[in-house]
């Protein structure tokens, strides 16, 4: 460890500290040009002639108990002889346009990553809009740019970002979970705007796109990525099957005599839990329930058998198995299952393509948890670009 002069905290290339003044909770650090180093263009580093000089100030992080530290510095303005831009010189440790040092903005951004903007504003004694604007600028600067080359598979989903009906369409890299695109709306067009930005080569590398069966994205993929296979999300499909079991249970309950209802009562858990997860006593209860009611037995067996589609290694065999399952479901006489079988028959290709591509929505699910937390912290999302970069940063850093 070495002893430093407090001035060393404010040593910026091309400037020297002239004086530091403090009063109560505010400090002013006054810089002047270092005569040995001429002012340079912040864009191309050409020397700028000192024709027009001015003064400016930025805010910096707290110093001991002094919450507000202003740094006052001289500027040179003019047309840069190198890049021909009209520039105002400032230390490179300061943000090029915002009235703050990078280190202060990074601190604000770190706080904004863990606490709501309003609270961060209160702690650091700046406005909430400054918190958001610093955070956004830091994230935009630090988050790697999107590389769409060589992506194997995508995940598409819709996400509600505001209370009531404000949806966005999100696209993730299915292998890494990296957020690639976010667009207002949940229609196919919200996805198509992204797919149209891909080069022919980028399109060719995408083998599969995972999505929910109920979504509106299938057509957009078929039109823009004709070679990619669509994979309907496995967990949503299993959920659909569970819902059919539950519907069957409800209709059986409604039609059952008081005597029979005592078997059905509490059956929801037994019917929807995987048989392998049921303990001995519960297994006995399930057997009782099934012995008492034929429809529930059928529904339960259909549910258990559906999962087996995903055990196949060949698409062909999985497809044959799914067709058999759909035939059984249609013959079962259970309306919710017949409806499901008709839907599954139509989309059998997109269901069994899982066997080949193994895409699940796991990455989307963990992403969804992030979204809720981040929206809460940013106190709403009036600025979608900000929400995008915050979320993207999270998904990229998780992989770093
Ligand atoms: Zn320049």
């Amino acid at each position: 460890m070495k002893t430093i002069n407090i001035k060393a905290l404010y040593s910026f290339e091309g400037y020297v500290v002239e004086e530091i003044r403090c009063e109560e909770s505010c400090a002013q650090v006054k810089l002047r040009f270092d005569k040995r180093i001429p002012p340079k263009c912040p864009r191309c580093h050409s020397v700028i002639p000192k024709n027009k000089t001015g003064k400016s100030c930025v805010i910096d992080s707290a110093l001991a108990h002094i919450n507000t530290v202003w740094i006052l510095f001289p500027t040179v303005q003019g047309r840069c002889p190198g890049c021909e831009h009209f520039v105002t010189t400032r230390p490179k440790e300061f943000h090029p346009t915002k009235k703050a040092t990078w280190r202060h903005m990074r601190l604000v951004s770190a706080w904004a990553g863990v606490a709501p903007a309003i609270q961060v504003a209160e702690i650091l004694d700046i406005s909430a809009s400054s918190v958001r604007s610093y955070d956004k600028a830091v994230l935009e600067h630090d988050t790697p740019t999107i590389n769409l080359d060589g992506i194997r598979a995508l995940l598409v989903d819709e996400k509600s970002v505001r209370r009531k009906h404000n949806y966005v369409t999100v696209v993730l890299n299915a292998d890494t979970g990296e957020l690639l695109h976010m667009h207002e709306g949940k229609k196919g067009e919200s996805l198509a705007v992204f797919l149209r930005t891909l080069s022919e080569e980028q399109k060719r590398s995408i083998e599969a796109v995972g999505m929910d069966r109920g979504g509106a994205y299938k057509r957009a993929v078929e039109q823009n990525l004709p070679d990619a296979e669509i994979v309907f999300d496995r967990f949503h499909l299993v959920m659909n099957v569970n819902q059919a079991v539950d519907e069957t249970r409800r209709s059986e309950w409604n039609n059952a005599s008081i005597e029979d209802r005592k078997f059905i009562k509490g059956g929801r858990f037994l019917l929807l839990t995987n048989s392998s997860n049921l303990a001995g006593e519960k297994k006995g209860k399930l057997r009782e329930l099934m012995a008492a009611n034929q429809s529930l037995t059928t529904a339960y067996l259909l549910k258990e058998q559906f999962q087996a589609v995903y055990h196949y290694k060949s698409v062909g065999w999985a497809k044959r198995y799914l067709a058999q399952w759909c035939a059984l479901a249609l013959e079962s006489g259970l309306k919710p299952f017949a409806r499901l079988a008709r839907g599954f028959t139509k989309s059998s290709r997109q269901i069994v393509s899982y066997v080949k591509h193994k895409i699940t929505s796991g990455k989307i699910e963990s992403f969804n948890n992030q979204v809720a937390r981040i929206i809460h912290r940013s106190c709403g999302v009036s600025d979608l670009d900000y929400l995008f970069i915050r979320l993207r940063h999270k998904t990229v850093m998780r992989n770093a």
Side-chain angles (χ1 to χ4, degrees), residues 162-176:
R162 290 174 205 133
R163 242 167 272 162
K164 290 181 189 163
H165 310 287
N166 268 292
Y167 284 92
V168 291
T169 293
V170 293
V171 181
L172 272 69
N173 179 327
D175 292 319
T176 63

Side-chain angles (χ1 to χ4, degrees), residues 3 29 34 70 73 95 138-139 176 178 207 209 217 237 239 296-297 308-309 330 341 359 370 383 394 397:
T3 310
V29 178
D34 183 340
W70 285 100
F73 62 102
H95 186 274
V138 168
L139 294 171
T176 63
E178 178 182 343
E207 296 168 11
V209 183
Y217 303 119
L237 294 169
M239 203 171 73
L296 288 182
T297 306
V309 174
L330 276 171
I359 303 176
Q370 305 274 8
D383 182 350
K394 203 90 197 170
M397 292 305 137

Side-chain angles (χ1 to χ4, degrees), residues 361-380:
S361 61
K363 300 275 191 224
I364 286 258
E365 295 306 320
S366 65
F367 172 78
N368 284 345
N369 296 334
Q370 305 274 8
V371 175
R373 246 174 295 157
I374 284 172
I375 290 174
H376 167 69
R377 265 182 228 137
S378 332
C379 299

